[in-house]
Amino acid sequence: MPNNLASINEAFSTFEVHESKVRSYCRDFPVKIRHAKGSKIHSVDQQVYVDFFAGAGALNYGHNCEPLKEKLKAYLDNDGITHSLDFYTEAKEDFIYTFQEEILHRRGMKYKVQFTGPTGTNAVEAALKLARKVTKRSNVIAFSNAFHGMSLGSLAATSNPKKRQGAGVALGGVTFMPYEGYLGEQVDSIDLIARMLQPGSGVEAPAAFLIETIQGEGGLRCVSARWLQRLQALAHEHGALLIIDDIQSGCGRSGRFFSFEGMGVTPDIVCLSKSLSGYGLPFSMNLINPDHDVWEPGEHNGTFRGNNLAFVTAKAAIDTFWSAPAFERELQQKIVYLHGRLKALAERSSEYIPEARFLGRGFMCGIDVGSGEVASNISQEAFRAGLIVETCGVHGQVVKLLPALTIEYEVLVQGLDMLAAAFEQVIGIARYSEEKAA
Ligand code: PLP
């Protein structure tokens, strides 16, 4: 790994000269990658990194997952169709059938599927359009610290001021309300939202409530089942739809296939993307309550809706992992271990950083260290030691872990040891400066 700025500049000059300044993750993790397998990333200069980032949640089964790759290779070898707009294809039929049987039917869920453009933000755009069309209303309720994507419709429902600034136009059609706990544990934000929907508040009747059950970019806050049930009741009382954005928290990230599973709600629309293909291939889909499928043909078109290669790997991911009961059981055991280690680390850190605490659910969790600078230093220190772990939250104050659900125990342990050492190093520096100042 290059260890000084001059060599970094030289190693990355092609990108620095020719690629737009908009690039971001590569600035925090300046490494030129050659290949990746499972939860390990290999750089061109022979460094090996443990991956606790998993493509921002797009690689729930790790890099180049073998059973998925085998199916993909066989499909390509047979000249299976790659691009087909929304023509009927065998690969699409096989995926739809498997998803309906193995994911929806097993959970007693009834939805139609809509293949949107391949990005998460396009799935959110489609969900918002559909909710507005169904209800003939324009206002949407989104929540504090929400992230739903970077195209204008979903950006309007994203709260981060820096991201919103990039729009260059007024972002409208959305009213923000407080997420559970945003106003402190003592304030019941559902009561407040209910009041704000009363005539006279000035808030327009909403088409939908759009929510993440675990806030991915916004800082790993979660909603409780009770809060979510009350939100759904409120939405329906006001003739609005409940849209759950499960783009980051879905496909097993929470420990179950859907993040809202077992929470006693039936969303009207569910947005899925990121790990849906299971292989890091671009692929998004909305689940729609059949009563709300009021689209006219072609009303949400796009050249890349439904990616046949992704249909193949998505089906293989379901067959390999979700149809095997042992997978969820083993995942639960790993979650217990991961949370135990993180809670202990948060506890130790809180001696020096009183705000330090564990946040999140399932394999989407981390530690709030109360400051973007400290979190970034920890992430950088971990990177130097060979671990890729990002930060999130409006100030970047949360060290956020998204390991692959399939990570081997020894790699999980190795990564957590590196993370603990990075905390020790950074907090040790804080302790040292404290002692010096005293
Ligand atoms: N919704 C959520 C909850 C996300 O976390 C993201 C991306 O991080 C998106 C939407 C947007 O997805 P994409 O980046 O694929 O457009």
Side-chain angles (χ1 to χ4, degrees):
M1 177 174 46
N3 55 8
N4 63 50
L5 200 59
S7 56
I8 284 177
N9 286 341
E10 202 179 303
F12 305 122
S13 62
T14 306
F15 311 102
E16 290 175 354
V17 173
H18 300 290
E19 191 182 354
S20 159
K21 289 181 195 155
V22 78
R23 63 196 192 280
S24 65
Y25 291 108
C26 54
R27 295 176 189 273
D28 292 333
F29 306 111
V31 53
K32 204 186 299 174
I33 298 166
R34 177 156 295 148
H35 57 259
K37 186 76 184 164
S39 292
K40 298 262 176 90
I41 291 177
H42 300 252
S43 74
V44 294
D45 48 3
Q46 322 297 328
Q47 295 292 315
V48 183
Y49 295 87
V50 170
D51 185 6
F52 273 10
F53 176 56
L59 291 162
N60 281 2
Y61 316 108
H63 296 269
N64 289 303
C65 179
E66 210 55 41
L68 281 56
K69 187 166 80 181
E70 287 307 314
K71 296 286 182 196
L72 183 59
K73 277 163 66 180
Y75 186 78
L76 289 168
D77 284 346
N78 284 329
D79 283 334
I81 191 161
T82 296
H83 184 268
S84 57
L85 287 144
D86 64 10
F87 279 54
Y88 299 141
T89 69
E90 195 177 29
K92 187 202 276 198
E93 184 177 46
D94 288 348
F95 167 73
I96 294 177
Y97 182 80
T98 304
F99 190 85
Q100 287 288 345
E101 285 299 307
E102 297 295 319
I103 301 294
L104 297 183
H105 185 69
R106 275 177 186 239
R107 291 163 178 79
M109 295 164 77
K110 282 203 175 67
Y111 288 101
K112 279 193 163 191
V113 296
Q114 177 189 358
F115 300 110
T116 67
T119 57
T121 195
N122 196 260
V124 174
E125 295 286 351
L128 295 178
K129 269 192 203 173
L130 185 62
R132 287 173 169 137
K133 186 173 160 80
V134 167
T135 59
K136 301 186 177 60
R137 298 173 179 173
S138 65
N139 189 30
V140 165
I141 306 287
F143 292 88
S144 48
N145 289 325
F147 183 87
H148 296 290
M150 302 292 278
S151 53
L152 293 183
S154 11
L155 190 55
T158 292
S159 71
N160 186 300
K162 267 203 202 145
K163 309 278 185 226
R164 292 177 69 84
Q165 209 175 17
V169 293
L171 296 169
V174 174
T175 305
F176 285 92
M177 294 282 178
Y179 196 78
E180 184 173 13
Y182 183 72
L183 299 170
E185 303 308 320
Q186 307 310 321
V187 179
D188 183 341
S189 53
I190 293 286
D191 269 358
L192 189 141
I193 299 166
R195 282 301 298 271
M196 292 307 289
L197 292 177
Q198 293 304 313
S201 71
V203 175
E204 268 180 46
F209 288 20
L210 170 64
I211 190 151
E212 300 157 271
T213 61
I214 310 168
Q215 294 191 312
E217 303 308 299
L220 296 177
R221 296 300 175 123
C222 312
V223 289
S224 64
R226 181 79 195 108
W227 193 91
L228 194 59
Q229 287 162 15
R230 291 172 66 210
L231 189 77
Q232 173 175 271
L234 195 60
H236 292 168
E237 183 191 325
H238 287 270
L241 271 51
L242 176 66
I243 305 172
I244 293 195
D245 178 346
D246 236 9
I247 286 169
Q248 191 163 153
S249 52
C251 303
R253 223 351 106 192
S254 70
R256 313 281 292 268
F257 189 86
F258 296 106
S259 71
F260 52 87
E261 245 177 279
M263 293 180 88
V265 295
T266 307
D268 297 288
I269 304 177
V270 182
C271 305
L272 293 171
S273 181
K274 288 205 190 263
S275 274
L276 184 60
S277 80
Y279 204 73
L281 296 170
F283 182 36
S284 299
M285 171 171 93
N286 282 345
L287 306 182
I288 303 171
N289 171 336
D291 296 340
H292 298 322
D293 184 25
V294 297
W295 287 116
E296 292 294 329
E299 211 174 5
H300 187 80
N301 253 4
T303 308
F304 293 106
R305 283 167 306 126
N307 170 347
N308 285 283
L309 305 185
F311 287 139
V312 171
T313 54
K315 173 179 160 39
I318 297 170
D319 290 339
T320 309
F321 300 110
W322 297 100
S323 300
F327 174 67
E328 277 189 76
R329 259 201 322 273
E330 282 164 18
L331 179 57
Q332 293 309 322
Q333 288 162 5
K334 273 189 212 161
I335 290 170
V336 171
Y337 176 74
L338 173 63
H339 287 196
R341 289 281 311 257
L342 284 183
K343 283 176 182 166
L345 185 56
E347 177 80 32
R348 275 206 306 283
S349 309
S350 70
E351 283 179 36
Y352 304 100
I353 303 175
E355 310 90 304
R357 67 189 153 135
F358 171 87
L359 289 173
R361 269 210 288 137
F363 253 39
M364 188 168 172
C365 53
I367 298 178
D368 185 339
V369 292
S371 134
E373 195 188 335
V374 174
S376 164
N377 288 342
I378 291 169
S379 167
Q380 288 306 299
E381 189 55 40
F383 179 63
R384 271 191 285 278
L387 172 70
I388 297 185
V389 64
E390 68 162 338
T391 61
C392 69
V394 68
H395 306 296
Q397 75 281 12
V398 179
V399 178
K400 174 186 179 192
L401 280 69
L402 293 172
L405 314 182
T406 50
I407 192 168
E408 300 89 344
Y409 258 107
E410 58 272 24
V411 183
L412 183 60
V413 171
Q414 190 191 350
L416 286 167
D417 288 348
M418 283 193 265
L419 185 69
F423 265 74
E424 185 59 38
Q425 182 70 17
V426 172
I427 292 171
I429 290 165
R431 193 167 55 206
Y432 172 72
S433 6
E434 239 174 57
E435 279 165 10
K436 239 173 85 174

